[in-house]
Amino acid sequence: QVQLVESGGGLVQAGGSLRLSCVASGRSFGGNAMGWFRQAPGKEREFVASISWLGGTYYADSVKGRFTISRDNAKNTVYLQMNSLSPEDTAVYYCAAAGGGYLSWQASDYNYWGQGTQVTVSS
């Protein structure tokens, strides 16, 4: 059974940092693109970042320069380093695994999803 489990969320003050982790089990995702999405209360889920199977990255404009996505295929883990956090970043953050290896910002390209981890940024 494939599972994606996120961790690392929490409460942080504006300007602070958090590092999210997503561990995959049940199969290897070394050949798949991985992504992070988020959903704030009352809003639709939105794309945050994607990393291809070769390590190429793509970010939403709202997080570019502040967030960094990375992966460790040996550990079947993807990370999201979040710096300079603002209250607008408050959301549930979801890890996802795509069906293919190339970058994608479209949720429909992702076949597996984690349960989410809450990130709350106080002002």
Side-chain angles (χ1 to χ4, degrees):
Q1 182 181 358
V2 175
Q3 275 192 313
L4 301 179
V5 180
E6 303 97 334
S7 62
L11 174 63
V12 64
Q13 288 189 332
S17 299
L18 283 175
R19 188 194 195 203
L20 305 184
S21 299
C22 171
V23 180
S25 61
R27 56 160 283 190
S28 171
F29 286 100
N32 298 77
M34 302 292 291
W36 287 96
F37 291 76
R38 67 186 182 186
Q39 187 166 18
K43 295 187 177 181
E44 294 188 353
R45 182 174 50 188
E46 66 174 357
F47 168 77
V48 175
S50 177
I51 185 166
S52 73
W53 73 288
L54 289 176
T57 59
Y58 183 72
Y59 299 92
D61 287 343
S62 59
V63 307
K64 200 173 297 182
R66 300 187 299 122
F67 290 11
T68 302
I69 188 172
S70 60
R71 66 190 299 164
D72 184 338
N73 290 336
K75 296 181 179 179
N76 225 18
T77 300
V78 63
Y79 305 96
L80 186 68
Q81 177 67 42
M82 305 186 296
N83 299 329
S84 301
L85 285 162
S86 72
E88 289 69 36
D89 296 314
T90 294
V92 177
Y93 283 71
Y94 297 92
C95 168
Y102 299 101
L103 296 169
S104 175
W105 59 92
Q106 299 185 80
S108 58
D109 288 334
Y110 291 82
N111 298 335
Y112 300 100
W113 293 81
Q115 81 291 347
T117 186
Q118 176 70 47
V119 171
T120 303
V121 185
S122 63
S123 57

